[in-house]
């Protein structure tokens, strides 16, 4: 029950340091919290009075922390708004307890229902988050209300370890976790013929060896849950991998795979069938690879496209879903990480009426994003943009897209030959893999079309020699090639927790970029880890770019002596900044780390 409203005190006395014997007792009161915030120097007196007025008119049903968070008070130390997570972390420090941001995939949900009832958890605003033979960890949003602790320790016969979590997280996950745990207890009673309602029930059915149907309500629900959680975690790919004993679900986040859950093989098979069904793939055929795509929505309502690919393995079908954000195609060059100079050069090259532009790099280096963003900018009403892809990565209404179909001999070369009869202005070829496709690309460029395509080489100069190896004569490569963009993606340091690196190894830095020397100021930072980045120290990725422009000097060298070493040296002389050097600039600016750059970029001295 909320206390009677009263006027704010003229001054807020600072409470004495809280020891175990002087801890406050009972539920939190927003008035007392405002006084503590002021006493701890988090807010000043004026902000405290403003917060008092805002909180006094809020709903009495709100948790005290939630009520203060809605007031949007600013911290006097750094000017940031005190949100619910910041306030909870501050409260945990004041209560001398650990702060925990609940991660649902790190909670063994099957054990939750055995520890307490949902009514007991809701009454005391607590939630079990971990249990072992020696202790039970319970998250609370009322750290000074410990009237229930002794009772629970007697019931569980184990000591309780308290952590403090956000009241909004506890309220949300209490309902989710206990509903799932309840399904475990009723799994056997419902059986495979009954309605399967929750994820943990699916797990139990999978363990029992019963067949699961792709259209079961539980399968539908767990697939939806999987997508929404992947969107929340900023995953770029979802992997469903069958193993001997269990199926493994992994997310690729910021370029690194993370195991997020394990499920019985029967559950994974049902999930795979459900996703194949939605992707209009052959559900019965499990012996050969298949491709498909699905459109779904984020929790906020934004449409997202998923590209599906299956592969038969020793233990069943492996399914990978690549998540495409439609917003990437409208990003400008700066948003993709292009430095200003390279961005201007790339725009100049893509403004040419004819010629070949290549984007190179390994799988997952962002080539598709760069090409689609470029084409989206070029696709005006005055031009006809056509693509031939394998498969179509993202469906874009501004393009005319064709997919390669090897089963009917519709290869890249055949598709490009067909596009030439469609009056195109700009052509994008998914990949130049063979001599026939390379010859068609050259012919398209010679006949007045701008051709964009990809290759898989280590750097930009190597793409020139790759074209020659495919059989393109040097004089034709010289006449048609406009430029080559090589790129990589590296993880960026979390802006919320990164710190200046006082012990940065400058010798290793200079050795990594040799034979070049750094002509820029070094302000390196190091990863730390916080709630925002899930304690990895990294949040998001940025592109590193190496742009080779075909100058007259390079064209002459290409005809006379098309060897990789001289071509690379001439490109650098003409102003190309190698990938390693582009990464060094990001390290110097505190955007990423040297380890990330070394992992992603080729050694320039090889």
């Amino acid at each position: 029950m909320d206390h009677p409203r009263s006027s704010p005190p003229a001054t807020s006395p600072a409470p004495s340091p809280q020891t175990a014997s002087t801890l406050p007792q009972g539920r939190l009161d927003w008035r007392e919290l405002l006084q503590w915030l002021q006493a701890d120097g988090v807010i000043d007196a004026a902000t405290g009075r403003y917060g008092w007025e805002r909180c006094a008119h809020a709903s009495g049903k709100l948790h005290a922390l939630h009520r203060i968070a809605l007031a949007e008070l600013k911290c006097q130390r750094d000017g940031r708004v005190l949100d619910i997570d910041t306030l909870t972390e501050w409260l945990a420090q004041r209560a001398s307890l650990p702060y925990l941001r609940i991660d649902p995939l790190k909670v063994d949900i099957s054990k939750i229902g055995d520890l307490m009832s949902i009514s007991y958890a809701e009454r005391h605003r607590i939630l079990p988050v971990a249990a072992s033979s020696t202790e039970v960890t319970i998250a609370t949003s009322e750290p000074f209300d410990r009237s229930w602790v002794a009772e629970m320790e007697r019931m569980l016969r184990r000591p309780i370890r308290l952590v403090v979590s956000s009241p909004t997280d506890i309220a949300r996950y209490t309902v989710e976790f206990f509903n799932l745990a309840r399904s475990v207890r009723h799994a056997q009673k419902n059986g495979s013929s009954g309605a399967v309602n929750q994820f943990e029930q699916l797990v139990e059915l999978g363990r029992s060896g019963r067949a699961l149907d792709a259209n079961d309500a539980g399968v539908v629900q767990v697939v939806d849950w999987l997508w929404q959680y992947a969107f929340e975690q900023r995953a770029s790919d979802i992997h469903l991998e069958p193993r001997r004993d269990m199926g493994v679900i992994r997310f690729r986040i910021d370029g690194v795979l993370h195991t997020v859950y394990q499920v019985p093989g029967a559950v994974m098979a049902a999930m795979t069938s459900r996703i194949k069904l939605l992707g209009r793939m052959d559900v019965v055929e499990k012996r050969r690879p298949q491709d498909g795509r699905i459109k779904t929505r984020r929790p906020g309502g934004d449409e997202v496209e998923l590209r599906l690919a299956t592969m038969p393995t020793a233990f069943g079908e492996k399914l990978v879903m690549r998540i495409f954000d439609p917003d990437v195609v409208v990003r400008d060059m700066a948003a993709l990480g292009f430095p200003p100079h390279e961005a201007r050069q790339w725009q100049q090259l893509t403004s040419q009426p004819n010629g070949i532009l290549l984007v190179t790099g390994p799988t997952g280096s962002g080539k598709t994003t760069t090409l689609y963003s470029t084409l989206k900018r070029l696709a005006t009403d005055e031009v006809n943009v056509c693509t031939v892809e394998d498969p179509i990565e993202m469906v874009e209404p501004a393009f005319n897209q064709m997919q390669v179909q090897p089963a009917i001999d519709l290869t890249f070369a055949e598709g490009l030959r067909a596009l030439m009869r469609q009056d195109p202005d700009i052509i994008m070829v998914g990949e130049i893999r063979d001599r026939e496709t390379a010859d068609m690309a050259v012919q398209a460029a010679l006949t007045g079309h701008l051709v964009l395509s990809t290759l898989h080489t280590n750097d930009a100069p190597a793409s020139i020699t790759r074209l020659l190896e495919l059989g393109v004569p040097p004089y034709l490569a010289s006449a048609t090639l406009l430029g080559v963009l090589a790129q990589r993606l590296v993880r960026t340091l979390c802006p919320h927790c990164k710190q200046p690196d006082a012990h940065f190894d400058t010798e290793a830095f200079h050795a990594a970029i040799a034979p070049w020397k750094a002509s820029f100021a070094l302000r390196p930072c190091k990863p730390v880890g916080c709630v925002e980045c899930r304690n990895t120290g990294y949040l998001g990725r940025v592109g590193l770019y190496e742009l080779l422009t075909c100058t007259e000097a390079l064209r002459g060298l290409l005809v006379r002596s098309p060897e990789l070493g001289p071509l690379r040296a001439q490109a650098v002389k003409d102003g190309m900044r190698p990938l390693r050097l582009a990464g060094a600039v990001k390290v110097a600016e505190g955007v990423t780390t040297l380890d990330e750059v070394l992992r992603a970029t080729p050694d320039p001295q090889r």
Side-chain angles (χ1 to χ4, degrees):
M1 179 179 293
D2 194 26
H3 295 280
R5 292 175 180 170
S6 59
S7 300
T11 59
S12 299
S16 58
Q18 295 166 357
T19 63
S21 60
T22 62
L23 283 173
Q25 301 295 319
R27 292 288 178 92
L28 296 170
D29 175 49
W30 62 268
R31 299 165 184 80
E32 198 169 22
L33 287 178
L34 285 174
Q35 292 179 6
W36 292 350
L37 285 166
Q38 189 173 334
D40 291 353
V42 180
I43 60 175
D44 55 25
T47 305
R49 288 191 295 272
Y50 171 76
W52 188 286
E53 294 297 325
R54 290 289 303 272
C55 292
H57 294 88
S59 170
K61 297 181 180 180
L62 293 175
H63 188 281
L65 284 177
H66 196 186
R67 181 182 291 213
I68 296 175
L70 289 177
E72 298 183 340
L73 307 181
K74 289 188 177 180
C75 177
Q76 69 172 349
R77 297 169 183 167
D78 54 18
R80 289 194 298 176
V81 173
L82 297 174
D83 59 19
I84 190 73
D85 292 315
T86 304
L87 289 168
T88 306
E89 195 167 3
W90 161 80
L91 180 64
Q93 292 175 354
R94 211 171 206 278
S96 301
L97 291 173
Y99 167 72
L100 174 70
R101 188 165 186 177
I102 300 173
D103 184 345
L105 291 183
K106 294 182 179 178
V107 177
D108 189 347
I109 300 171
S110 61
K111 296 180 180 179
I112 297 301
D114 298 331
L115 299 175
M116 64 181 69
S117 67
I118 184 172
S119 59
Y120 191 89
E122 289 178 332
R123 182 165 67 252
H124 294 287
R125 296 177 176 175
I126 58 178
L127 178 65
V129 291
S132 68
S133 59
T134 57
E135 70 173 9
V136 176
T137 302
I138 296 181
T140 177
S141 60
E142 296 285 352
F144 303 123
D145 179 11
R146 305 187 184 183
S147 58
W148 54 271
V149 173
E151 178 186 16
M152 285 302 302
E153 287 183 333
R154 287 195 304 271
M155 291 176 56
L156 300 175
R157 299 179 181 178
R158 282 169 285 179
I160 286 176
R161 176 176 174 263
L162 285 178
V163 295
V164 180
S165 295
S166 160
T168 54
D169 283 351
I170 289 180
R172 170 191 173 186
Y173 291 122
T174 296
V175 176
E176 290 188 18
F177 290 176
F178 278 95
N179 282 343
L180 295 180
R182 187 183 299 117
S183 297
V184 175
R185 293 193 296 270
H186 295 292
Q188 296 300 325
K189 181 168 63 176
N190 289 342
S192 60
S193 60
V196 184
N197 295 317
Q198 300 290 352
F199 180 65
E200 289 296 338
Q201 183 174 335
L202 286 174
V203 172
E204 291 300 313
L205 290 177
R207 288 174 180 154
S208 69
R210 298 174 182 174
L212 292 173
D213 187 79
N215 291 316
D216 281 338
V219 177
V220 173
Q221 193 169 43
V222 71
V223 169
D224 289 340
W225 164 82
L226 178 67
W227 287 339
Q228 299 309 315
Y229 191 73
F231 300 152
E232 289 177 8
Q233 300 304 310
R234 303 176 294 104
S236 61
D237 300 85
I238 305 171
H239 291 239
L240 303 185
E241 303 177 356
R243 304 286 172 83
R244 182 183 298 275
D245 301 317
M246 297 284 284
V248 177
I249 300 174
R250 299 201 289 173
F251 291 169
R252 186 177 295 279
I253 303 171
D254 294 336
V256 179
L257 279 170
H258 301 267
T259 299
V260 295
Y261 221 98
Q262 291 187 340
V263 297
V267 176
M268 179 155 288
M271 291 171 64
T272 301
S273 295
R274 170 67 183 171
I275 295 167
K276 288 174 64 178
L277 193 65
L278 294 175
R280 299 180 180 180
M281 302 160 70
D282 188 346
V283 178
V284 177
E285 179 57 73
K286 300 180 181 180
R287 299 168 299 172
R288 61 180 178 85
Q290 296 186 64
D291 294 316
R293 62 180 64 249
I294 294 173
K295 281 191 176 182
T296 183
R297 293 189 180 276
R298 295 183 185 274
D302 297 332
E303 191 175 77
V304 180
E305 190 164 305
L306 290 82
R307 194 188 77 194
L308 316 177
T310 65
M311 180 184 76
T313 70
F315 303 112
E317 270 190 301
K318 179 181 186 295
L319 173 66
V320 175
M321 292 170 273
R322 174 158 288 187
I323 302 169
F324 289 105
D325 185 351
D327 292 337
V328 300
V329 298
V330 295
R331 292 178 186 170
D332 58 18
M333 296 296 104
L336 296 178
F338 272 80
H341 179 65
E342 277 82 354
R344 286 193 299 270
Q345 281 188 308
W346 182 247
Q347 289 184 352
Q348 290 172 0
L349 292 174
T350 55
S351 299
Q352 301 299 313
N354 59 279
I356 297 176
L357 283 172
L358 298 175
V359 180
T360 185
T363 301
S365 61
K367 300 188 300 296
T368 298
T369 299
T370 299
L371 283 173
Y372 272 73
S373 298
T374 301
L375 288 175
K376 182 70 174 179
R377 180 175 55 84
L378 297 174
T380 62
D381 291 339
E382 291 77 22
V383 296
N384 177 19
V385 178
C386 299
T387 74
V388 52
E389 306 171 59
D390 183 24
I392 295 173
E393 302 280 8
M394 289 179 281
V395 176
E396 173 52 52
F399 313 154
N400 299 292
Q401 297 171 281
M402 178 195 305
Q403 180 163 319
V404 166
Q405 302 284 353
I408 57 173
D409 294 328
L410 180 55
T411 61
F412 276 119
E414 287 299 322
L416 189 50
R417 185 175 288 109
L419 290 185
M420 291 287 287
R421 297 190 290 270
Q422 293 294 315
D423 187 29
D425 297 289
I426 300 170
I427 298 172
M428 195 270 277
V429 183
E431 183 182 350
I432 296 178
R433 299 174 179 171
D434 49 42
R435 177 169 183 173
E436 188 179 9
T437 307
D439 287 342
M440 286 302 303
V442 168
Q443 291 301 317
L446 288 173
T447 52
H449 304 90
L450 181 64
V451 180
L452 289 84
S453 188
T454 68
L455 280 176
H456 287 95
T457 58
N458 284 333
D459 58 9
S463 295
I464 299 177
T465 57
R466 176 64 57 84
L467 279 181
L468 303 182
E469 291 169 358
L470 288 173
V472 177
Y475 72 93
L476 287 180
S478 172
T480 56
L481 191 62
L482 297 174
V484 183
L485 179 70
Q487 64 181 79
R488 299 290 191 278
L489 290 176
V490 293
R491 293 185 294 172
T492 54
L493 289 167
C494 174
H496 304 283
C497 64
K498 69 178 181 180
Q499 295 178 358
D501 191 352
H503 303 288
F504 184 71
D505 191 342
T506 54
E507 291 185 4
F509 176 80
H510 290 296
I513 64 174
W516 299 285
K517 295 183 179 179
S519 59
F520 35 80
L522 277 174
R523 297 184 299 275
C525 292
K526 62 181 179 181
V528 177
C530 67
V531 171
E532 297 296 332
C533 61
R534 300 173 62 84
N535 292 315
T536 63
Y538 296 93
L539 186 65
R541 290 189 290 177
V542 69
L544 305 180
Y545 300 96
E546 173 184 274
L547 182 55
L548 177 152
T549 303
C550 285
T551 61
E552 290 302 322
L554 190 67
R555 294 182 192 279
L557 185 62
L558 175 55
V559 174
R560 296 192 309 272
S561 178
E563 296 180 0
L564 183 57
L567 288 172
R568 183 178 286 123
Q570 183 62 49
V572 172
K573 185 178 179 180
D574 291 340
M576 183 190 78
R577 184 168 64 177
L579 283 167
R580 181 65 61 86
L581 204 56
V585 173
K586 299 294 185 184
V587 174
E589 294 173 348
V591 174
T592 188
T593 61
L594 182 60
D595 289 340
E596 276 292 300
V597 172
L598 293 177
R599 177 186 61 82
T601 59
D603 186 347
Q605 300 189 63
R606 289 183 59 182

